[in-house]
């Protein structure tokens, strides 16, 4: 694959008004999601649910790519068409989560290191054959008493950079995802500081490992108050602090930045993205979305594991996709939720 082709994929992932739908929940995570609607996490149920997400009529107007899980990239629609080909036919690029999860970081209580580098070259070659155009690796940075440590940030940045270099070698665009978690009681200011050092470290190590910026997509958290913080920063502050942090850390040559939702409600995740794109029109990169929960939650609830709910579930998903597509252009309005 030529450098030009990789850049074309990266730019298409963040095409105007389009974003990425993350449906790459690991087995423990999808079990948690299914528990919330009292559906058993069997392979059949997981296939049926991903089928409705992947075949949603009209989704290709708003969605450039979907991130699949190892099990999902090997599954097929009810009619027997493999999921990756089903996506490609609709003009949606299949992506694949390739890390094997965040494990305890030795010697650093409450901190995680993401694993999955062993055998990654061979796995990437297989995923490419199965139709993947891009990949994702998520690192987790936890805010707490005296953490994150430099050791945690550096070890995760190093793993992200080695993963990204292997992806580019294999002809896949890496989504580099260092997620500063929003679960603690920290202020937005602390989130800013931790996100800034994390992103500075990540881009420094990406450079040292020879990862080309033009063929990389950043997936990051917004700069936001911790969920348990008593004072919650408002929409404009989140937008301003997030954009300031990105301008201070992300190279202009990067084709695009997508946000994770990280536990924000579906609507707030849209409102925040919209605020950034409404206020900041001339940024070096498009700001888009790669939400999991914030796109899927209303759809998952509407589905509730029942065949007769598939149409309603797909409508709920399409609505969130459309709202977020408009948020990429700064054209979303809360009225859209009333009409839904
Ligand atoms: P959330 O949007 O639910 O945070 O998930 C996005 C994702 O892919 C995290 O890796």
């Amino acid at each position: 694959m030529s450098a030009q082709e990789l850049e074309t994929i990266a730019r298409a992932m963040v095409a105007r008004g389009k974003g990425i739908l993350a449906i790459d929940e690991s087995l423990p995570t999808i079990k948690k999601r299914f528990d919330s609607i009292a559906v058993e996490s069997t392979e059949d149920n997981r296939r049926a649910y991903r089928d409705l997400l992947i075949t949603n009529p009209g989704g290709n107007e708003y969605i450039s790519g979907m991130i699949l899980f190892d099990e999902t990239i090997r599954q097929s629609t009810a009619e027997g068409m493999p999921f990756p080909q089903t996506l490609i036919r609709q003009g949606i690029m299949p992506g694949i989560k390739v890390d094997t999860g965040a494990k305890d970081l030795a010697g650093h209580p409450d901190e995680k290191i993401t694993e999955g580098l062993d055998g990654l070259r061979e796995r990437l070659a297989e995923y490419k054959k199965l139709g993947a155009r891009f990949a994702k690796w998520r690192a987790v940075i936890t805010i707490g008493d005296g953490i994150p440590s430099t050791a945690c940030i550096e070890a995760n940045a190093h793993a992200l950079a080695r993963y990204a270099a292997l992806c580019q070698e294999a002809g896949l665009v890496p989504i580099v995802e260092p997620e500063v978690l929003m679960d603690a009681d920290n202020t937005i200011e602390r989130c800013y500081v931790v996100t800034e050092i994390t992103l500075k470290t990540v881009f420094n190590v990406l450079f040292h490992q020879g990862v080309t910026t033009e063929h990389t997509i950043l997936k990051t958290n917004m700069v936001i108050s911790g969920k348990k913080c008593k004072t919650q920063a408002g929409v404009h502050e989140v937008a301003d602090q997030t954009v300031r942090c990105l301008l201070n850390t992300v190279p202009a040559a990067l084709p695009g930045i997508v946000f994770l939702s990280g536990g924000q409600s579906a609507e707030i995740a849209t409102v925040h993205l919209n605020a950034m794109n409404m206020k900041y029109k001339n940024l070096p990169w498009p700001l888009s979305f790669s939400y999991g929960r914030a796109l899927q939650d209303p759809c998952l609830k509407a589905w509730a594991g029942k065949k007769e709910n598939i149409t309603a579930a797909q409508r709920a998903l399409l609505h969130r996709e459309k709202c977020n597509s408009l948020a990429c252009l700064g054209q979303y309005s809360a009225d859209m939720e009333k009409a839904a």
Side-chain angles (χ1 to χ4, degrees):
M1 164 136 345
S2 70
Q4 187 52 50
E5 283 169 306
L6 266 186
E7 187 165 345
T8 302
I9 293 170
R11 299 219 177 262
M13 289 164 72
V14 288
R16 193 175 150 75
K18 286 198 178 182
I20 295 167
L21 171 57
I23 59 166
D24 60 335
E25 296 84 1
S26 62
L27 295 177
T29 304
I30 195 75
K31 182 180 179 313
K32 235 193 280 171
R33 305 280 184 266
F34 277 15
D35 283 350
S36 74
I37 53 164
V39 169
E40 199 187 341
S41 181
T42 61
E43 186 178 343
D44 270 358
N45 287 341
R46 292 192 294 271
R47 196 214 59 75
Y49 177 57
R50 265 74 180 250
D51 193 334
L52 81 85
L53 300 175
I54 286 170
T55 61
N56 195 9
N60 55 0
E61 206 179 319
Y62 313 117
I63 297 297
S64 59
M66 288 194 203
I67 315 174
L68 309 175
F69 176 59
D70 180 77
E71 176 184 78
T72 320
I73 200 170
R74 302 167 197 283
Q75 288 175 322
S76 301
T77 61
E79 290 74 35
M81 161 106 55
F83 281 155
Q85 278 64 48
T86 308
L87 287 170
I88 290 166
R89 280 205 170 182
Q90 302 172 74
I92 298 175
M93 294 179 287
I96 179 76
K97 186 239 294 292
V98 303
D99 67 70
T100 56
K103 309 286 159 62
D104 289 343
L105 179 63
H108 293 81
D110 302 324
E111 295 198 284
K112 303 278 185 199
I113 177 72
T114 300
E115 294 188 349
L117 288 170
D118 289 354
L120 184 56
R121 177 176 276 129
E122 292 72 24
R123 288 197 291 127
L124 292 177
E126 192 200 358
Y127 290 139
K128 181 104 202 286
K129 274 204 199 116
L130 288 168
R133 305 278 208 268
F134 63 93
K136 179 192 109 172
W137 178 290
R138 171 176 176 257
V140 180
I141 307 295
T142 309
I143 298 182
D145 227 4
I147 61 171
S149 64
T150 304
C152 175
I153 293 173
E154 286 187 347
N156 276 295
H158 192 255
L160 276 168
R162 286 193 54 207
Y163 139 82
L166 281 162
C167 283
Q168 292 184 345
E169 178 191 274
L172 293 164
V173 170
I175 294 183
V176 168
E177 181 184 3
E179 175 176 3
V180 176
L181 295 177
M182 56 175 282
D183 301 328
D185 63 356
N186 57 278
T187 60
I188 187 171
E189 287 80 12
R190 180 128 167 79
C191 180
Y192 182 97
V193 170
V194 173
T195 304
E196 181 174 47
I197 188 152
T198 300
L199 292 179
K200 273 201 189 292
T201 308
V202 166
F203 281 103
N204 189 34
V205 184
L206 287 175
F207 171 70
H208 284 301
Q209 291 295 327
V211 175
T212 43
T213 310
E214 290 87 344
H215 310 139
T216 303
I217 296 290
L218 172 70
K219 174 163 173 168
T220 185
N221 54 282
M222 295 179 192
V223 174
I224 200 167
S225 315
K227 257 193 207 157
K228 294 183 200 139
C229 182
K230 280 194 202 98
T231 42
Q232 291 288 312
V235 172
H236 292 292
E237 194 174 0
V238 170
D240 291 346
Q241 295 308 322
T242 303
V243 169
R244 182 164 75 94
C245 190
L246 295 172
L247 284 170
N248 271 294
T249 54
V250 182
L254 197 86
I257 300 173
V258 293
F259 293 104
L260 55 94
S261 57
Q264 300 178 56
S265 77
E267 286 183 27
I268 289 291
T270 307
V271 166
H272 282 152
L273 179 62
N274 187 62
M276 287 182 234
N277 282 312
M278 208 160 82
K279 183 158 179 191
Y280 298 94
K281 293 284 182 205
N282 292 308
L283 295 171
W285 356 255
L287 297 182
S288 181
F289 59 91
S290 172
Y291 298 151
R293 284 163 288 179
L295 283 169
Q296 288 185 55
D297 277 355
C299 168
L300 185 72
K301 276 198 199 92
W303 176 57
K306 298 199 174 79
K307 260 203 186 118
E308 60 269 29
N309 293 340
I310 288 178
T311 307
Q314 289 185 323
R315 237 183 263 133
L317 176 65
L318 198 67
H319 174 65
R320 289 261 54 87
E321 291 175 344
K322 184 177 181 185
C323 289
N324 284 297
S325 164
L326 288 170
C328 289
L329 310 172
Q331 294 171 5
Y332 164 81
S333 120
D335 293 344
M336 289 185 61
E337 306 295 349
K338 285 184 218 135

